[in-house]
Amino acid sequence: MEEKELLRRNEEQNPNENSAVHENKMGIMPVKKLLISMAWPAMLSMTINALYNVVDSIFVAWLSEDAFTAVSIVNPIQMLIISLAVGSGVGVNSLIARLLGAKNQEGANKAASASLRIGLFNYLVFFIVGAFLTKFFVSAYAQEGTEIYDAALTYMRIVCIGCLFINVEVQLEKVLQSTGNMVAPMICSLTGAIVNIVFDPILIFGLMGFPAMGVAGAAIATVFGQLCSLIVAVVIILKGEHLVEIRLRGFKMDWGIVKDIYKVGFPSIIMQAIGSVMLIFYNMILVAYSTTAVAVLGVYFKMQSFVFMPVFGLNQGAMPIMGYNYGAKNKKRLMETYKWGLTIALIVMALGTLLFQLFPSALLSMFDASAEMYKIGVPALRIISICFIPAAFGIMTSTLFQGTGHGMLSLYGSLLRQLIGILPLAYILIRIGGVTLSWTAFPLAEILGLTYSAVVLRWLYKKEIANL
């Protein structure tokens, strides 16, 4: 009701303006309430997505440790799929929000329409990977004919060839988020998550008359959930009224718009993909010492999603607010959004740190951990989780960089943390003190990232934001 009243007053104060370009809630609603109202749907959605990823892995772990290791090996490829989809979507989100803030309705419509074509292109990349490159990837981790090899090959082929739905659906979500609509994307994500959770045990273990498909069942449940999410997203786009228009027919790509999307989107793709690349090579480092260590790292990345995903949801709520107010040259609202976002992120990360420090054994037990997994995993979860609190600062500062159109600044920070920091440190430390010492690469690299973010934020504020 408060939001509608604010919009009504704005219309009364600007009666001669076209309604399509009226100030929306991102320019007039109190920042704290606005951020919470926009962030909670994304935070809930991302948390539910984290839940279904964990549930998926728990069911697979009940099959065997080798089956779970196989899924952990493929996990970086799934992360790459999401990286390409979400990264390009971030570019769409940021550009549309800035164009709406600058009252450029036609440009915003063109960006929204281009997003659908970008999603189709993203799918083509991973269709090729799934159809032709799976054996090459899996053979780097497991010997042909083993359970790990066969399960990883099957799982990877299905999730890659079937990723059309997630690539298109993510683009539609980002278009909706860019206009301040956070509830509809939440509904889309929740639909896919719930469908996945329901069908996982049915297809993995062969319940309700279905055949037991094992790891293949987990992959099929994932793809089916993504299809259901896309169906809901399409219905919402076609049936609802939105601040931007997606043109399906008679649309000619504006390559200037595409360039502007990838100005932020490409660094975001690389930034998110860096995590996948880091995990691919970290697994290669670990597999020479223990396949169980690979499984432990898989457990960590599944469980840490409960901590990081709500913060990434907060990121999704904050970015269009930042982009809109940056485009509107409203420094006060831009920085107030950043400060509130950082405060909430620090609280979430602090709670996550306590969880990992106090209950590492309980977290591992969910995955039917062996004695060796407990031995390696308990110190791993405690050591790595030290990085959570400094990561909050890095994530929200990166959101500010992206929201203001400076995606490359975010990219440099991710490169510093995950490639320049984690991998070389892990490679050296594992040779000095074994697997346990190698986990300290995470908090050490995060300290590097925090230092970078603080220095660059100060520079950007003085150079640009202070003069808005």
Side-chain angles (χ1 to χ4, degrees), residues 38 81 181 185 193 206 382:
M38 289 185 61
I81 294 172
N181 184 347
R382 284 178 172 153

Side-chain angles (χ1 to χ4, degrees), residues 100-322:
L100 288 175
K103 303 295 185 284
N104 185 346
Q105 185 67 43
E106 180 61 21
N109 289 342
K110 288 182 178 180
S113 300
S115 70
L116 187 61
R117 282 76 179 176
I118 289 171
L120 294 173
F121 173 78
N122 291 346
Y123 167 65
L124 180 61
V125 173
F126 284 99
F127 174 83
I128 293 171
V129 171
F132 303 107
L133 301 177
T134 50
K135 287 186 177 181
F136 174 79
F137 177 81
V138 174
S139 62
Y141 299 92
Q143 187 174 1
E144 188 171 353
T146 62
E147 181 183 353
I148 293 176
Y149 180 90
D150 292 340
L153 196 68
T154 299
Y155 192 85
M156 181 172 169
R157 279 178 174 162
I158 294 172
V159 297
C160 286
I161 294 175
C163 74
L164 168 65
F165 313 121
I166 187 70
N167 274 293
V168 175
E169 190 270 336
V170 165
Q171 297 304 313
L172 298 181
E173 278 194 22
K174 295 303 179 185
V175 170
L176 292 169
Q177 288 173 355
S178 69
T179 66
N181 184 347
M182 305 301 291
V183 174
M186 177 191 72
I187 294 171
C188 298
S189 293
L190 287 179
T191 299
I194 292 170
V195 169
N196 194 333
I197 290 172
V198 170
F199 277 88
D200 256 333
I202 292 173
L203 298 183
I204 291 173
F205 301 113
L207 307 178
M208 300 175 64
F210 285 84
M213 291 184 279
V215 168
I220 292 170
T222 297
V223 172
F224 184 57
Q226 293 167 354
L227 170 61
C228 293
S229 289
L230 176 60
I231 291 172
V232 173
V234 170
V235 170
I236 290 172
I237 290 290
L238 294 178
K239 298 297 183 181
E241 294 184 4
H242 310 288
L243 294 179
V244 292
E245 177 188 358
I246 296 180
R247 296 166 187 160
L248 299 178
R249 297 179 180 177
F251 172 73
K252 184 178 180 181
M253 288 287 279
D254 184 330
W255 295 106
I257 289 289
V258 173
K259 180 180 178 181
D260 285 341
I261 288 173
Y262 279 102
K263 182 180 178 182
V264 172
F266 183 73
S268 183
I269 292 169
I270 301 300
M271 182 174 65
Q272 296 194 52
I274 286 169
S276 305
V277 173
M278 180 275 292
L279 187 54
I280 288 170
F281 285 101
Y282 206 139
N283 282 338
M284 287 182 177
I285 293 170
L286 292 174
V287 77
Y289 289 80
S290 168
T291 56
T292 300
V294 175
V296 166
L297 191 60
V299 169
Y300 164 73
F301 271 96
K302 294 295 183 181
M303 296 310 301
Q304 62 92 30
S305 64
F306 276 116
V307 182
F308 279 81
M309 286 301 177
V311 178
F312 291 144
L314 177 66
N315 168 311
Q316 291 182 16
M319 186 178 298
I321 304 174
M322 291 178 179

Side-chain angles (χ1 to χ4, degrees), residues 3 5 30 43-44 76 90 92 158 166 174 210 225 233 241 275 310-311 345 366 393 405-407 463:
E3 176 187 330
E5 178 64 19
M43 293 176 74
L44 176 60
V90 165
V92 170
I158 294 172
I166 187 70
K174 295 303 179 185
F210 285 84
E241 294 184 4
V311 178
M366 296 168 62
F393 180 78
H406 296 283
K463 177 178 180 292

